[in-house]
Amino acid sequence: MSPFIWDHGSVLYRILLGIALAATAASAAVTAIHDVTVIDGTGADPKPHMTIVIRGERIVAMGPVSKVRIPKGARVVQGRGRYAIPGLWDMHVHLWYEQDQLPVFVANGITGVRDMGSDYARTTAWRRDCENGKAIGPHVVTSGPAVDGHVSDSKLLPVMVAITPEDARRTFDKLDEMDVDFIKVLSDLPRDAYIALAERSRKWRMAFAGHVPRSITAWEAIDARQGSMEHLFGVFGACATDPKDVLGTFSEEKARELFKKSALFETRQTPTLTLWERMAFVDAAARVHDPHLREVPYAIRATWPKPDEEIKSANTERAAALKAQYDLARRMVKMMQESGVEILAGTDTGDPYTIPGVTLQHELELLVKSGLTPMQALQTATIAPARYLGWDESVGTLKQGMVGDIVLLDANPLADIRNVSRISGVAIRGRYLSKPQLTAILDAVK
């Protein structure tokens, strides 16, 4: 199978294939990022004048310039005045379009994604090509089809239906046979089916994540050991004395009690503030005219609501109510952080007016605006995803022995989190892509 779905004669295919083959050849060589300031993702202070040496997929040395020798014949990347951070993860995306957007994620600094529902065969084929060096793309973990109580409302999102406990157990077995990475649940899953699915997931140690179904409370989802809750669905109601009037009866006391329990049971929260911002039509005009939209294939953009329709929707009464809920979501995020809840950065990229990587950069900005420090925001997209996945011995921080997933920035993200967009280069699985190579990926999107 071709690593790209575009015609083999297209300019895009030839550019990306050339980059992929060059990266494959370079993977056996050595790359040294010399005299760079390292922000290693652990929360430690930045370390200036460091050298990082990558051989194959791994960081084989990292230390002060005076102590780390650059191997003869290594490709040397000048890091002076630049900042190296761990590769970023977007923990809520949908790879549900036929167009392969994985190279664009990498070009925008994303070295890992959690796919929350897509065509499993297509997504895993893309992943296999990336892992084998035939294509450029991030690490991918995927649920395949989500589980819900009815057929999908969207032709893009495949769903397995489970209504009874017996349905849920059969569905689990089918997904397990497919070898999915985790189970994703949606909002209309019936209570008994949810409980049976959660029980089966615990028994077989399968990760279990997604929406908090309307049939379940967030408190019960924590007890069921749901690994992560997405979009704050169900969380709002659990923090109010009257779940039908969240804005009017929100209780900070109840919220902090819930978040304390969430932290205790290591239930992660993926608030997707960018989703709430989009639903409330905040800054709609700027979003629909964002020049980065050219990084999304036209065939995808053509399926989205028209820009004038999107802007017009910003003036509705419903938009005003959603804006109040968006403001509350940001307030809750700060309380989560203070309560010790591990927050995962996610965006729902795949939705209209989302851009692979760019929307994650904006999510980090919103997390900082909600009260997190830039370091805390960075960790929601680096060490926190790694810990959640159980991969923290390989990714999420920068040190000797880790996989060479590195984003090289032209400015300090701890001074201004928006500097995560000022990308000079990206190493994915140890393969370093320079700024011209990343630009070629973005310029090739049609």
Side-chain angles (χ1 to χ4, degrees), residues 420-432:
V420 294
S421 67
R422 298 183 60 182
I423 297 172
S424 176
V426 175
I428 173 67
R429 301 180 184 86
R431 303 165 185 170
Y432 185 79

Side-chain angles (χ1 to χ4, degrees), residues 267-290:
T267 301
R268 275 68 166 193
Q269 297 288 342
T270 315
T272 58
L273 293 176
T274 48
L275 170 66
W276 286 100
E277 185 184 58
R278 292 192 304 275
M279 289 196 299
F281 300 98
V282 175
D283 296 328
R287 185 164 46 254
V288 301
H289 296 301
D290 188 337

Side-chain angles (χ1 to χ4, degrees), residues 93-274:
V93 308
H94 290 281
L95 304 176
W96 51 25
Y97 294 107
E98 293 181 357
Q99 292 81 2
D100 178 4
Q101 295 182 277
L102 292 178
V104 178
F105 279 102
V106 172
N108 284 317
I110 308 303
T111 60
V113 296
R114 183 175 59 154
D115 169 48
M116 303 296 286
S118 67
D119 183 301
Y120 185 70
R122 183 174 64 213
T123 296
T124 53
W126 288 341
R127 173 171 65 184
R128 186 166 53 250
D129 286 338
C130 294
E131 292 174 345
N132 292 340
K134 296 179 181 178
I136 295 297
H139 306 281
V140 177
V141 293
T142 180
S143 66
V147 185
D148 205 359
H150 56 73
V151 296
S152 179
D153 296 327
S154 169
K155 64 180 181 180
L156 295 173
L157 180 63
V159 162
M160 287 188 174
V161 176
I163 298 174
T164 67
E166 292 74 19
D167 292 339
R169 296 183 189 104
R170 282 193 295 267
T171 297
F172 178 92
D173 292 344
K174 290 177 183 177
L175 290 168
D176 188 43
E177 288 171 5
M178 290 169 63
D179 200 24
V180 300
D181 299 308
F182 64 99
I183 304 293
K184 160 75 180 295
V185 296
L186 291 173
S187 297
D188 291 330
L189 188 64
R191 179 182 182 83
D192 289 347
Y194 173 91
I195 291 171
L197 195 60
E199 182 181 59
R200 183 68 55 105
S201 297
R202 290 195 304 274
K203 177 179 179 179
W204 296 108
R205 300 181 182 275
M206 173 73 82
F208 182 70
H211 300 184
V212 175
R214 283 182 276 267
S215 61
I216 295 289
T217 70
W219 303 92
E220 291 171 320
I222 294 173
D223 287 335
R225 302 300 191 271
Q226 183 165 324
S228 75
M229 299 179 183
E230 309 301 304
H231 314 310
L232 304 178
F233 292 171
V235 176
F236 283 109
C239 296
T241 56
D242 180 0
K244 295 181 180 179
D245 182 18
V246 171
L247 295 176
T249 68
F250 178 80
S251 166
E252 183 169 327
E253 181 181 357
K254 288 195 68 168
R256 290 190 182 278
E257 186 180 354
L258 178 71
F259 300 150
K260 182 179 179 180
K261 182 172 183 176
S262 183
L264 179 65
F265 285 82
E266 298 185 338
T267 301
R268 275 68 166 193
Q269 297 288 342
T270 315
T272 58
L273 293 176
T274 48

Side-chain angles (χ1 to χ4, degrees), residues 332-356:
M332 290 166 63
V333 162
K334 175 62 172 173
M335 285 188 276
M336 289 177 194
Q337 183 70 35
E338 293 171 344
S339 300
V341 175
E342 192 145 66
I343 297 169
L344 304 177
T347 61
D348 227 8
T349 289
D351 273 3
Y353 296 102
T354 59
I355 306 161

